[in-house]
Amino acid sequence: MQVEDDIFDRTDADYLVLELDNIMVPFFIEEYYFKTDTTALIKFEGIDTLERAKEFANVDVYFPRNIADNNIKSEQETLSYPMLVGFQVNDIGKIAYIDHQTENIMFELEDGTLIPASEELIEDIDVPNKQIKMTIPEGLLDI
């Protein structure tokens, strides 16, 4: 990432917003370091392969507008599906990937299990503890 500002020196952010296909998508920062004074290498949560990381090459990256206001209410109001990578779903497993290539968005768990990412199934999202409570229809996990 090319850095044109000293914002990393002035503040901290848990996530950055990437422009993907004209959509602003937030990603949690796992770690970063400066390669030079104008180039930073950033590791995002849930992006664990080189092939996956290459999908984010040459995209525009933005700091959240209001990084000073990090209360839970504002996080939940701006929460998006990509931000849920790494969250634990009930006692089933952690979300490894969000499949949004079709109209039916799916949570892919670390073991490959697919669960519809339907707002009707999500009962609660505990952002600080990275937990999602879902109502899973009987038999869905047997498919």
Side-chain angles (χ1 to χ4, degrees):
M1 173 175 114
Q2 289 296 112
V3 181
E4 300 173 0
D5 190 305
D6 66 344
I7 195 152
F8 276 93
D9 295 334
R10 292 184 281 124
T11 188
D12 287 323
D14 294 333
Y15 65 95
L16 295 176
V17 179
L18 280 62
E19 184 174 354
L20 304 172
D21 297 325
N22 295 320
I23 299 172
M24 303 305 264
V25 182
F27 287 89
F28 281 107
I29 300 169
E30 191 169 295
E31 61 183 309
Y32 72 91
Y33 72 93
F34 279 88
K35 189 173 179 180
T36 69
D37 61 340
T38 60
T39 304
L41 297 178
I42 301 173
K43 165 73 172 81
F44 292 111
E45 287 184 7
I47 311 300
D48 297 318
T49 66
L50 182 59
E51 294 79 27
R52 184 88 169 101
K54 285 181 181 179
E55 295 175 26
F56 303 102
N58 300 315
V59 300
D60 289 330
V61 179
Y62 304 93
F63 261 83
R65 272 198 174 151
N66 189 2
I67 57 177
D69 182 16
N70 281 333
N71 64 45
I72 294 171
K73 183 177 179 185
S74 69
E75 285 182 23
Q76 289 177 334
E77 289 171 359
T78 61
L79 202 59
S80 67
Y81 286 126
M83 294 174 68
L84 299 177
V85 171
F87 278 56
Q88 177 73 29
V89 176
N90 298 354
D91 60 350
I92 302 167
K94 285 187 179 180
I95 298 172
Y97 177 70
I98 307 293
D99 183 352
H100 52 69
Q101 296 178 12
T102 66
E103 189 173 324
N104 298 319
I105 299 171
M106 302 291 281
F107 293 144
E108 183 175 338
L109 305 183
E110 291 173 334
D111 68 356
T113 300
L114 294 174
I115 300 174
S118 170
E119 290 182 23
E120 291 84 32
L121 300 178
I122 298 172
E123 290 180 34
D124 185 49
I125 300 175
D126 181 350
V127 176
N129 294 311
K130 296 183 109 178
Q131 301 271 334
I132 300 174
K133 183 177 180 186
M134 294 184 73
T135 301
I136 310 285
E138 189 173 325
L140 180 71
L141 299 176
D142 300 328
I143 298 176

